[in-house]
Amino acid sequence: MVVLHLAGAEIPVGLLFGIAGGAFLIIFSASRRVPATLVLLFFGLASGLLFGSFTALQKLTFAPTPLAFSLPAAHDFTVAFFLLVLPQIPLTFGNSIVATADTARIYFGTGAVRVTPGRLSLSLGITNVIAGFIGAAPLCHGAGGLTAHYRFGARSGAMG
């Protein structure tokens, strides 16, 4: 852990970066021209490039990860069910299904008539089954993602 020695006290640099990031969020939260999250993203990128490990940058590559098909063992399903599936159900149901359908209705009115909890559930299920077989991380819809897309100008199904 990197620390800064200031007036005889050791202050973790990560704590200072966290405070600075929080300050950026507060300062830019009301800005219509400059979204606070973009400021925070660029602050994080700049600080990572300036203060991060240069050996990590040398290992950085921009290339697709090769996909590998794999079948999990029966034991993997049992472990995943109790550690991943059961705890995730309330969050997925609330945010990814109900809140997303409600948010779509708020933003698009009658234009969102096909965005239903049933259809969102089906698309989630199909996508995550496929993702599981190719080793990808689970994913979901989300009211926050829909709001972010809408806020940045996405107003049709063509925006992705």
Side-chain angles (χ1 to χ4, degrees):
M1 172 171 61
V2 179
V3 294
L4 180 67
H5 298 282
L6 189 63
E10 290 186 352
I11 302 171
V13 173
L15 177 64
L16 296 176
F17 276 63
I19 292 170
F24 282 133
L25 282 176
I26 291 169
I27 292 167
F28 287 97
S29 65
S31 173
R32 287 259 191 220
R33 298 179 78 79
V34 183
T37 52
L38 286 181
V39 172
L40 188 60
L41 175 70
F42 287 118
F43 171 71
L45 286 172
S47 62
L49 290 173
L50 289 173
F51 303 107
S53 168
F54 288 105
T55 57
L57 285 177
Q58 292 170 346
K59 295 178 185 175
L60 185 66
T61 59
F62 293 99
T65 304
L67 297 178
F69 186 79
S70 64
L71 282 174
H75 174 71
D76 296 331
F77 283 104
T78 304
V79 171
F81 180 76
F82 287 106
L83 294 179
L84 303 173
V85 175
L86 282 181
Q88 187 66 31
I89 288 173
L91 179 64
T92 298
F93 181 73
N95 177 51
S96 184
I97 296 169
V98 175
T100 303
D102 189 47
T103 303
R105 262 192 317 278
I106 290 169
Y107 287 148
F108 302 109
T110 58
V113 70
R114 293 182 10 209
V115 182
T116 65
R119 286 181 172 205
L120 289 169
S121 299
L122 181 64
S123 74
L124 271 173
I126 291 171
T127 304
N128 281 313
V129 166
I130 293 168
F133 282 117
I134 61 172
L139 53 108
C140 67
H141 307 293
L146 178 60
T147 298
H149 278 79
Y150 186 85
R151 169 86 188 238
F152 284 111
R155 300 293 191 271
S156 73
M159 306 304 282

